[in-house]
Amino acid sequence: MNTIQIALVRNSFAKVQPIATDAAALFYANLFAADPSLRALFRGDMAHQGQRLMSMLGSALQLLDRPAALVPVLRNLGARHAGYRVLPTHYDMVGAALLKTLEQGLGDTFTAETRAAWVDLYAVIARTMLEGASEAAVAA
Ligand code: HEM
């Protein structure tokens, strides 16, 4: 991702942060509407889970220009997700639910350029998490 894209995702996420609780709830509603079977993977309290998701996304955005620090965090996160029975195909569904939520939350300010930057960001996050998941599978 280039510096313009990094600025676009950071600025748009900053607009979501004041409504983070609602955005997280909307995200899970979108995700479970797209695939109700995913609900069974989540065992804890969904409000708490929403906070963890938003806070992890925030940390990833802060570290975007420091890949050496970000990559191990995401690989470990991906390895833990394999333990939550998350499959590689689920990542596409989460990406689609995330984009839909940003679109709903940000309205007109979610421009085509901002959307493209989020698509790239999510691809990097998912790829790195999946690398961590497959390394964990090899080590097991
Ligand atoms: C951008 C990608 C993602 C991020 C940033 C993210 C973030 C998180 C975080 C921070 C946790 C808390 C536990 C931990 O740190 O290990 C978590 C748990 C979890 N995530 Fe994700 N996640 C992502 C993708 C996914 C995908 C693709 C799925 C598939 C449906 C998923 C399903 C789950 C489940 C089932 C849990 C465990 C919940 C529980 O304890 O009941 N996540 N995620």
Side-chain angles (χ1 to χ4, degrees):
M1 293 181 78
N2 62 37
T3 48
I4 295 173
Q5 288 182 306
I6 292 177
L8 284 171
V9 290
R10 281 183 179 156
N11 291 341
S12 49
F13 192 70
K15 287 188 203 131
V16 175
Q17 259 166 339
I19 51 155
T21 308
D22 291 344
L26 187 58
F27 164 77
Y28 289 114
N30 286 330
L31 182 65
F32 300 148
D35 185 345
S37 74
L38 292 179
R39 182 70 188 81
L41 297 179
F42 292 86
R43 291 161 186 282
D45 168 58
M46 288 316 290
H48 182 221
Q49 176 59 28
Q51 281 166 10
R52 295 195 294 185
L53 173 79
M54 296 303 282
S55 121
M56 177 59 88
L57 273 177
S59 312
L61 292 187
Q62 273 171 30
L63 289 178
L64 269 184
D65 33 26
R66 290 171 50 205
L70 179 57
V71 167
V73 172
L74 291 179
R75 286 189 177 205
N76 287 334
L77 182 66
R80 291 199 298 278
H81 275 68
Y84 306 143
R85 296 184 296 141
V86 171
L87 302 173
T89 49
H90 294 153
Y91 281 83
D92 288 347
M93 286 183 254
V94 163
L98 181 64
L99 286 175
K100 188 170 180 184
T101 308
L102 289 166
E103 216 168 273
Q104 291 164 328
L106 296 172
D108 289 347
T109 63
F110 194 56
T111 60
E113 214 186 358
T114 305
R115 185 178 205 283
W118 274 96
V119 168
D120 281 9
L121 169 70
Y122 186 77
V124 171
I125 292 180
R127 193 176 60 230
T128 313
M129 285 177 69
L130 282 168
E131 279 167 14
S134 56
E135 270 166 28
V138 171

